Amino acid sequence: MKTLEWEDNKLKLIDQRKLPDELTYVWCDNYRDVIVAIKNMTVRGAPAIGVAAGFAMALADLEGVDLQMAAKEVKAARPTAVNLFWAVDRVLNSNEDALSEALKMYEEDMATNRAIGKYGAEIIDDGDTVLTHCNAGALACVDYGTALGVFRAARDAGKNINVICDETRPRGQGASLSVWEMQQENIPVKLIPDVASGYLMSQGMIDKVVIGADRIAKGGVVNKVGSFMVALAAKHHDIPFYVAAPYSTFDNEISIFDTVIEERDGDEVRYYGGARICPEGTEVINPAFDITPKELITGIITEKGIIDPI
Ligand code: MRU
C-alpha cells in the first residue's frame, strides 16, 4: 500500500479523510487538484505533502504552466511542513525534468524511512510500550513511516512492542490513521484520549515517546499540536522523548520559534463526530502545530543516525 502513486501521468492519493472506514483514492490530473488535496487533507503528513508537491510541479510542467508561478501556488497550500517548500525548490533547482525529480523524491522517501526505522529500532527495548502522537506513519510518507516505521522495524527485529496512540484532537489522526496502520501490521495498539498520557506516564505505563516532525530548526521541533505537552509530561517522568524525521524536514536557516504555525478552521474544534459541542458561534483558537523546545528532546532519529536537536 502506497499513500501516493504516479500512474498514467496522474497522481493517485489515498483519501485519508475517509479512513479508517473506507480505503478509497483521489486522482489528480492537474497541479491545482494536488493543491486542493493538500489543503483539504486528502494527503497530509510532512513527507507525503513534500512528495505530493513534487508531483504537483511535475503536473504543472506537463500542463505547460510556468513553473515559477506554479511554485508560488503550491507553496501556499499549507504553511508549516518544510518538506513542501523543500520539494518545490528541489524541482525548481533540478537539472532534470520535473517528473524525473519528483519520481526521485518518491523513491528516496521509501529508502529514507527504512533507514530511519533501522536506526530507530535500536532505541526500542524488547517489551517496550511506546507512545506516539498524530500519524507519522506510512500514511504521512510514501510508505513505511518515520515514527511508525521505527515501530515496524523494531517488531521486524524480533522485539515485542506495544504502541499507544493519542487520539490527536481535533482531527483525530492518531485514532483514525495510526491505530489503523498498527492494526494492519498486527502490532498491539491501544488508543487513549490526548489528556491521558500524563497519567499513564505517572503509572509507569509508557517507556518511550516517538513522534514525527513537520519542521526541525534551531532550538527545537514543530509537530502536531499536543506534542509539546507530551514532551513536558515525559520530561517530568524522565521518559525518553524521540523525534523521527528525515533531513528534508530540517530547516537550518531559521529559529524554530519563527516557524509559521498553521491556524485551521474553528469548526474542527466546535464539532465532534458531526455534532456541535459548544454554543453556536463560540470563538475558537485552533493551531494545527506546536513547538517542542530542544531541552525536552532526547534525540532525533534520522536516516543517517540518531543526532542531537539543532
Ligand atoms: O496536519 P497533519 O496531519 O499534516 O500533521 C501531521 C503531523 O504533525 C505529523 O506528525 C508530521 O507531519 C510528521 S509525519 C512523518
Side-chain angles (χ1 to χ4, degrees):
M1 183 197 78
K2 302 271 189 296
T3 300
L4 61 172
E5 270 176 295
W6 183 253
E7 263 180 50
D8 303 328
N9 276 355
K10 294 186 189 107
L11 183 63
K12 182 183 170 195
L13 300 168
I14 291 182
D15 189 345
Q16 302 197 31
R17 301 164 304 173
K18 303 276 172 60
L19 287 170
D21 294 325
E22 284 173 39
L23 182 56
T24 51
Y25 296 89
V26 167
W27 290 87
C28 302
D29 59 13
N30 63 77
Y31 81 103
R32 289 211 165 110
D33 280 355
V34 184
I35 295 173
V36 170
I38 293 172
K39 283 187 172 163
N40 70 19
M41 310 279 284
T42 301
V43 61
R44 34 65 52 204
I49 292 172
V51 177
F55 283 117
M57 294 295 287
L59 283 164
D61 199 24
L62 293 173
E63 291 170 69
V65 174
D66 173 62
L67 283 188
Q68 295 291 344
M69 190 199 87
K72 274 200 192 117
E73 288 180 53
V74 177
K75 284 184 177 183
R78 284 187 81 186
T80 303
V82 76
N83 308 59
L84 184 146
F85 304 89
W86 167 86
V88 171
D89 287 338
R90 204 171 131 170
V91 170
L92 287 179
N93 297 327
S94 174
N95 295 325
E96 299 186 32
D97 65 87
L99 179 57
S100 307
E101 196 61 39
L103 288 166
K104 226 195 261 177
M105 287 189 272
Y106 174 87
E107 294 295 334
E108 280 173 19
D109 185 75
M110 293 188 275
T112 296
N113 287 338
R114 278 178 173 70
I116 289 172
K118 186 185 84 161
Y119 288 114
E122 289 168 19
I123 61 112
I124 305 288
D125 293 313
D126 188 34
D128 267 355
T129 298
V130 185
L131 176 78
T132 193
H133 188 75
C134 193
N135 173 264
L139 290 162
C141 304
V142 174
D143 78 357
Y144 206 70
T146 58
L148 300 195
V150 168
F151 308 156
R152 288 186 165 95
R155 190 274 314 271
D156 292 345
K159 295 174 185 174
N160 289 306
I161 177 167
N162 299 287
V163 176
I164 292 187
C165 294
D166 279 345
E167 61 174 341
T168 318
R169 276 281 285 152
R171 290 192 64 94
Q173 293 96 325
S176 62
L177 306 178
S178 293
V179 169
W180 182 78
E181 275 194 38
M182 292 292 91
Q183 287 174 347
Q184 302 287 309
E185 285 279 346
N186 290 319
I187 293 177
V189 58
K190 290 194 172 86
L191 175 66
I192 62 168
D194 296 321
V195 285
S197 58
Y199 170 69
L200 264 65
M201 288 179 191
S202 76
Q203 300 301 299
M205 293 166 73
I206 292 170
D207 299 302
K208 273 155 203 142
V209 179
V210 185
I211 63 162
D214 290 87
R215 190 181 294 237
I216 297 170
K218 286 180 209 143
V221 166
V222 162
N223 190 52
K224 179 54 58 196
V225 68
S227 301
F228 174 39
M229 298 200 16
V230 175
L232 284 169
K235 187 73 166 179
H236 179 79
H237 295 99
D238 225 358
I239 292 171
F241 182 96
Y242 287 95
V243 174
Y247 273 93
S248 54
T249 305
F250 283 66
D251 182 355
N252 297 312
E253 303 306 318
I254 66 160
S255 157
I256 200 70
F257 300 100
D258 291 334
T259 306
V260 177
I261 301 291
E262 179 181 8
E263 173 84 25
R264 293 189 63 85
D265 192 330
D267 278 353
E268 290 184 348
V269 181
R270 290 186 195 99
Y271 287 81
Y272 190 78
R276 185 160 41 77
I277 56 166
C278 57
E280 210 165 336
T282 297
E283 284 188 41
V284 164
I285 302 170
N286 185 21
F289 303 97
D290 65 20
I291 303 165
T292 300
K294 68 179 193 179
E295 302 77 51
L296 303 180
I297 299 169
T298 309
I300 300 185
I301 307 164
T302 75
E303 66 271 38
K304 295 184 187 155
I306 301 177
I307 62 167
D308 289 333
I310 58 175

